[in-house]
Amino acid sequence: MSERTLCMIKPDGVERNLIGAVLARIESAGLKIVAIRKLHLTKTQAEGFYAVHRERPFFQSLVNYMSSGSIVAAVLQGDNAIARWRELMGATNPANAAEGTIRKDFALDVERNTVHGSDAVNTAAQEIPYFFNIMELQE
Ligand code: UDP
Ligand code: MG
């Protein structure tokens, strides 16, 4: 079933000129880039995006990091896109990420782990409109 998911290339990825490398893996895997934008989140916007994690010990550091530099946000589409993008990304902590995944190859540590991906249909449905409006999501 065709799905859409939200992808972000985090500040460590943009900073190290990894936008092209990440997008190449997405396209090589057959996922379509429906919409894409580069932006710099404010602290408040980063807090809103990660609100589900607000009680976690890493929240404040994560928000500071995610607002520390530019990111790229993109909407990916394809059969089973949510799980397929998470598979390309690899585990949250690069120390646990499988060989050949983006986080294994590029992440610096558990926080600066280069990419984000929605984790379920309902989170994708919340995260996509955080960055893109209906007109931007037309194919
Ligand atoms: N994170 C962190 N420390 C942790 C767990 C997560 O700094 O112990 C950061 C990391 O950047 C991660 C983000 O918080 O990508 C969101 O965490 P989540 O558990 O949702 O991981 P993800 O879905 O990104 O794999
Ligand atoms: Mg998550």
Side-chain angles (χ1 to χ4, degrees), residues 62-115:
L62 174 63
V63 164
N64 287 336
Y65 160 62
M66 287 301 293
S67 57
S68 70
S70 293
I71 65 158
V72 169
V75 176
L76 313 182
Q77 179 169 314
D79 288 342
N80 212 15
I82 295 169
R84 281 167 65 202
W85 172 229
R86 299 263 329 171
E87 208 172 301
L88 290 175
M89 287 167 48
T92 306
N93 187 339
N96 304 325
E99 292 295 329
T101 62
I102 292 168
R103 283 168 165 173
K104 174 72 174 186
D105 291 345
F106 299 127
L108 298 174
D109 53 46
V110 67
E111 179 176 83
R112 295 175 299 166
N113 59 4
T114 314
V115 282

Side-chain angles (χ1 to χ4, degrees), residues 23-138:
L23 296 181
R25 289 186 186 211
I26 288 166
E27 292 198 305
S28 296
L31 292 169
K32 292 290 180 195
I33 299 167
V34 172
I36 187 161
R37 180 142 58 95
K38 186 177 177 193
L39 71 160
H40 190 143
L41 293 173
T42 65
K43 243 179 174 181
T44 304
Q45 289 169 334
E47 279 169 3
F49 184 83
Y50 280 115
V52 63
H53 291 311
R54 64 186 170 277
E55 306 299 338
R56 308 285 289 279
F58 59 81
F59 180 69
Q60 218 40 254
S61 176
L62 174 63
V63 164
N64 287 336
Y65 160 62
M66 287 301 293
S67 57
S68 70
S70 293
I71 65 158
V72 169
V75 176
L76 313 182
Q77 179 169 314
D79 288 342
N80 212 15
I82 295 169
R84 281 167 65 202
W85 172 229
R86 299 263 329 171
E87 208 172 301
L88 290 175
M89 287 167 48
T92 306
N93 187 339
N96 304 325
E99 292 295 329
T101 62
I102 292 168
R103 283 168 165 173
K104 174 72 174 186
D105 291 345
F106 299 127
L108 298 174
D109 53 46
V110 67
E111 179 176 83
R112 295 175 299 166
N113 59 4
T114 314
V115 282
H116 167 85
S118 308
D119 63 9
V121 171
N122 66 314
T123 40
Q126 289 178 340
E127 291 177 356
I128 289 168
Y130 205 78
F131 291 100
F132 298 99
N133 68 39
I134 288 172
M135 284 181 61
E136 292 168 318
L137 292 168
Q138 280 169 6

